[in-house]
Amino acid sequence: MRLSRALKTDQETITRFINALGSGSVALSSSKLPRPGFFILAHTFIEEYINTGFFQKEEIIIKILEDGGFPADTGPIGSIRTDQKKSTAAAESMLNAAKQWEAGDTIARSETGWATSEFTSTMRQHLERLKSLILPLIEQTISVDEEHAVSDQINSITLKDGSEKYTKLIEQLEETLSDWK
C-alpha cells in the first residue's frame, strides 16, 4: 500500500499530462488551430519527467520482480519493458513528425496526431497495468518492511529541475488547448 502511495503523485501528474496531450491530438484532427510547438513542448515532459524520472522509479520495481524470480523478458517485467519501449518510440515519432510539420511538411501533421495517439494510449495502458497488476504483485512479493524501504528509495529519486517545472508545463499545454477552442 505504501508503495502505491509513493507513485501516486507521479501517476496523477502523468495522467493529467496525458489528458492534455490527448486533447491536443483530438484538436489536431478536428481543427486548423493546433501548432507543432505544442507537441514539441509536450515531448520535453515525456523525456524529462517520464523517461528520465518515472521510468527510473520503475527500475526499482523491475529489480524487485527480478529478485522475486520473475523472468527478465516475459511476464510483468516484459510488460513494463515493452510499454516503456513502445511509449518512448511513439514519443520520438511524435517529436520527429512535429519538427517536420514545423518545417513545412503538411503530411507530418497527421503523423504527429497518430504518434501522439499511440503514445497516450500506451501510457494509459501502462499506468493501469502498473496500478492494477504490477503494484499488487510487488506487495505480494515483498514484506511490509521491505515495501517501506522501497517506497523511501522511490521517494528519494527527484527531478533535477523539481516537479514545479512540469506542473507549469502541463498548465501551459492546458492554456494552449483553451486557446484552440
Side-chain angles (χ1 to χ4, degrees):
M1 190 63 124
R2 184 168 155 93
L3 187 56
S4 298
R5 276 186 259 139
L7 293 171
K8 184 177 181 180
T9 300
D10 285 327
Q11 291 173 314
E12 289 172 349
T13 300
I14 293 168
T15 298
R16 182 177 172 194
F17 167 75
I18 290 170
N19 289 339
L21 185 59
S23 294
S25 180
V26 169
L28 187 61
S29 66
S30 62
S31 170
K32 298 262 186 221
L33 295 175
R35 296 289 172 249
F38 176 90
F39 301 94
I40 293 168
L41 179 62
H43 188 270
T44 301
F45 181 93
I46 295 166
E47 184 59 35
E48 295 177 12
Y49 192 96
I50 296 174
N51 293 352
T52 303
F54 189 69
F55 286 171
Q56 183 181 358
K57 293 176 182 183
E58 287 186 342
E59 289 303 315
I60 296 167
I61 292 169
I62 290 169
K63 176 80 170 104
I64 293 168
L65 293 170
E66 287 174 342
D67 291 348
F70 289 93
D73 54 352
T74 60
I77 297 172
S79 295
I80 291 171
R81 294 272 191 230
T82 298
D83 290 347
Q84 288 175 341
K85 288 176 186 170
K86 188 174 177 183
S87 68
T88 300
E92 287 303 311
S93 294
M94 178 189 75
L95 176 64
N96 293 334
K99 285 181 176 180
Q100 291 172 349
W101 173 24
E102 188 175 53
D105 181 349
T106 56
I107 294 173
R109 178 186 166 100
S110 61
E111 292 172 11
T112 302
W114 178 88
T116 301
S117 178
E118 184 73 14
F119 173 81
T120 58
S121 174
T122 299
M123 280 307 298
R124 285 184 202 284
Q125 291 170 357
H126 181 70
L127 292 175
E128 183 57 35
R129 183 184 343 270
L130 188 64
K131 178 179 152 188
S132 64
L133 298 172
I134 304 297
L135 292 178
L137 183 60
I138 293 290
E139 291 171 356
Q140 295 171 12
T141 304
I142 60 176
S143 71
V144 173
D145 290 338
E146 291 170 317
E147 189 177 342
H148 288 289
V150 169
S151 293
D152 290 342
Q153 190 178 4
I154 285 173
N155 287 332
S156 73
I157 297 172
T158 58
L159 300 165
K160 76 174 186 173
D161 293 329
S163 60
E164 188 176 317
K165 170 185 176 180
Y166 303 101
T167 301
K168 287 182 179 184
L169 193 148
I170 294 170
E171 289 170 356
Q172 186 178 352
L173 293 174
E174 290 169 340
E175 286 175 23
T176 301
L177 286 170
S178 67
D179 291 344
W180 292 348
K181 292 181 181 181

